[in-house]
Amino acid sequence: MSLDTADAERHTLKMQKRKAVQDAEVASKTIEKGLIMVHTGAGKGKSTAAFGLILRALGHGWKIGVVQFIKGAWDTGEQRALAVAFPDHVTWRAMGEGFTWETQDKARDMAAAAAAWAEAQALMADPAYRLIVLDEINIALRYDYLDLAAVLAALAAKRPDLTVVLTGRNAKPELIDVADLVTEMTLVKHPFKAGVKAQAGIEF
Amino acid sequence: MSLDTADAERHTLKMQKRKAVQDAEVASKTIEKGLIMVHTGAGKGKSTAAFGLILRALGHGWKIGVVQFIKGAWDTGEQRALAVAFPDHVTWRAMGEGFTWETQDKARDMAAAAAAWAEAQALMADPAYRLIVLDEINIALRYDYLDLAAVLAALAAKRPDLTVVLTGRNAKPELIDVADLVTEMTLVKHPFKAGVKAQAGIEF
């Protein structure tokens, strides 16, 4: 693609103006604190983005806790990679027992959610951790397997420098209210619909 | 929360039915192949979910290539963590020169995009790689710094077992058409709006 001189000059002027706006914008943001982040929606990428955040935090030497509310002790790529590469920096608690249609036992699902929440509270109370991922906790909240008020109270009482990421579809409005950052992963197109199966390296 | 016997039995019956539906659904998905994945939208998590996917793929021993179209040789947590832990499995090419309002030079931006695309083509042609992340390529496509037809042709010609993830807001409709999986990260709430600055471990 070619570029004439007038076009190049117009571009430079436009970008100089834009830089002034951007710089003022950046300068106006001065608060530093741990965040409450929510990844919700029906699309793919809610847990995966939390795992990407773990990778980023590891590069800064943070210690990280993960509590999985639905997934049990499955062999996933992300868990294996972290166990091999960062055994001292990541505490991974897969406390779930699988999907509700696998356990077919509500009392057991509720007990698993309570145990996972106890683990989450212990990790959040430990000042060694800077990032806690509560994976699929929104599912447990949605089915009332967990008490929303207890979760909100724990988030309100967290150390200011602790970041907590809560994932899962159908996030409760009260959780969205208290969150600093909320992303909805929206499903535009999914390969399952075209007959593609869940595959190692992509889905788990 | 308490649970009476009738409730527990209703739950079990409902979940048995749901499991039958789920099992039939899973059995109907038989295709295995590398995917074309697009992460777009104005929300956070597009690149981060791609990095989470890298972590997952590393757990399965895959070799991975990353080409960044906008970010240059900045010191990010994700890149540092991967360089330390998986130097032989991840090839990371930060080919950008920064945001358009930083370079203020369209010819330079276009040259950087062309160089990044050459690198992307080389990695896609190398059968050692199972996953290629083209980070922020949608930005380069949107500004016509890259030829969309060339990118679509390369995707159409890719090895069937290669997964390519293309990130960045404003994905072109033609790219969405050829993708297997498209997630739109929708901005619900962002801490920048509340005066929180970009922070290490969270934003980079």
Side-chain angles (χ1 to χ4, degrees):
Chain A
M1 277 159 266
S2 66
L3 185 69
D4 67 27
T5 313
D7 183 24
E9 283 173 4
R10 267 194 306 274
H11 176 88
T12 300
L13 279 171
K14 191 174 153 192
M15 289 303 137
Q16 283 171 348
K17 280 182 195 156
R18 183 152 172 204
K19 177 163 167 58
V21 173
Q22 294 282 348
D23 285 353
E25 180 94 358
V26 169
S28 73
K29 318 295 182 205
T30 54
I31 301 168
E32 295 188 59
K33 62 171 189 172
L35 302 179
I36 299 172
M37 298 172 62
V38 175
H39 296 171
T40 192
K44 195 171 149 59
K46 297 181 288 293
S47 298
T48 318
F51 302 148
L53 209 57
I54 290 173
L55 194 62
R56 177 168 293 161
L58 282 168
H60 294 281
W62 290 15
K63 197 165 171 180
I64 296 141
V66 180
V67 180
Q68 294 194 292
F69 281 75
I70 302 295
K71 279 194 183 160
W74 304 348
D75 182 26
T76 60
E78 53 273 20
Q79 198 177 347
R80 207 188 305 166
L82 291 173
V84 168
F86 300 99
D88 302 330
H89 281 79
V90 183
T91 302
W92 194 290
R93 303 274 185 252
M95 304 292 290
E97 307 234 20
F99 298 114
T100 51
W101 57 88
E102 295 294 345
T103 62
Q104 302 178 6
D105 183 335
K106 193 168 173 179
R108 190 170 138 187
D109 291 346
M110 290 174 75
W117 177 240
E119 193 65 46
Q121 285 178 291
L123 290 173
M124 286 175 70
D126 183 341
Y129 294 93
R130 281 285 297 273
L131 172 64
I132 305 283
V133 175
L134 304 179
D135 191 40
E136 305 282 17
I137 190 174
N138 290 337
I139 310 288
L141 288 168
R142 187 192 181 193
Y143 291 120
D144 290 324
Y145 291 175
L146 265 191
D147 182 26
L148 176 61
V151 173
L152 294 176
L155 290 173
K158 78 169 184 65
R159 278 171 291 121
D161 70 343
L162 177 68
T163 289
V164 182
V165 184
L166 304 98
T167 80
R169 55 176 76 192
N170 299 113
K172 294 269 185 184
E174 296 87 343
L175 181 60
I176 289 175
D177 283 346
V178 303
D180 299 292
L181 187 149
V182 180
T183 304
E184 179 161 333
M185 276 67 174
T186 308
L187 178 68
V188 178
K189 195 192 257 191
H190 201 293
F192 291 175
K193 301 228 188 274
V196 178
K197 64 190 290 190
Q199 301 177 87
I202 298 173
E203 301 288 338
F204 56 87
Chain B
M1 276 158 265
S2 67
L3 185 70
D4 69 26
T5 314
D7 183 25
E9 283 174 3
R10 268 194 306 275
H11 176 88
T12 300
L13 279 170
K14 191 174 153 192
M15 288 303 137
Q16 283 170 350
K17 280 182 194 156
R18 182 152 174 205
K19 178 164 166 58
V21 173
Q22 294 282 348
D23 285 353
E25 180 93 358
V26 169
S28 72
K29 317 295 183 205
T30 54
I31 302 167
E32 295 188 59
K33 63 170 188 172
L35 302 179
I36 298 171
M37 298 173 62
V38 175
H39 296 172
T40 192
K44 196 172 148 59
K46 298 180 289 293
S47 297
T48 318
F51 301 149
L53 209 59
I54 290 173
L55 195 61
R56 175 168 293 159
L58 283 168
H60 294 281
W62 291 14
K63 197 165 172 180
I64 295 141
V66 180
V67 180
Q68 294 194 292
F69 280 75
I70 302 295
K71 278 194 184 162
W74 303 348
D75 183 26
T76 61
E78 53 274 19
Q79 196 177 348
R80 207 188 305 167
L82 291 172
V84 168
F86 300 98
D88 301 330
H89 280 79
V90 182
T91 302
W92 194 291
R93 302 275 185 252
M95 305 291 290
E97 307 234 21
F99 298 113
T100 49
W101 58 86
E102 294 294 346
T103 62
Q104 302 178 6
D105 184 335
K106 193 167 173 181
R108 190 171 137 187
D109 291 347
M110 291 175 75
W117 177 240
E119 193 64 46
Q121 285 178 291
L123 290 173
M124 287 176 69
D126 183 341
Y129 294 93
R130 280 286 296 275
L131 172 64
I132 305 282
V133 175
L134 304 179
D135 190 39
E136 306 282 17
I137 190 174
N138 290 337
I139 310 288
L141 287 168
R142 187 192 182 195
Y143 291 120
D144 290 326
Y145 291 175
L146 265 190
D147 182 26
L148 177 61
V151 173
L152 294 175
L155 291 172
K158 79 169 182 66
R159 278 171 292 121
D161 70 343
L162 177 67
T163 289
V164 182
V165 185
L166 304 98
T167 81
R169 56 176 75 191
N170 299 113
K172 293 269 184 183
E174 296 88 341
L175 180 60
I176 289 176
D177 283 346
V178 304
D180 299 292
L181 188 149
V182 180
T183 304
E184 179 159 333
M185 277 64 174
T186 309
L187 178 70
V188 178
K189 195 191 257 191
H190 200 293
F192 291 175
K193 302 228 188 274
V196 179
K197 65 190 289 189
Q199 299 176 89
I202 298 174
E203 302 287 339
F204 56 87

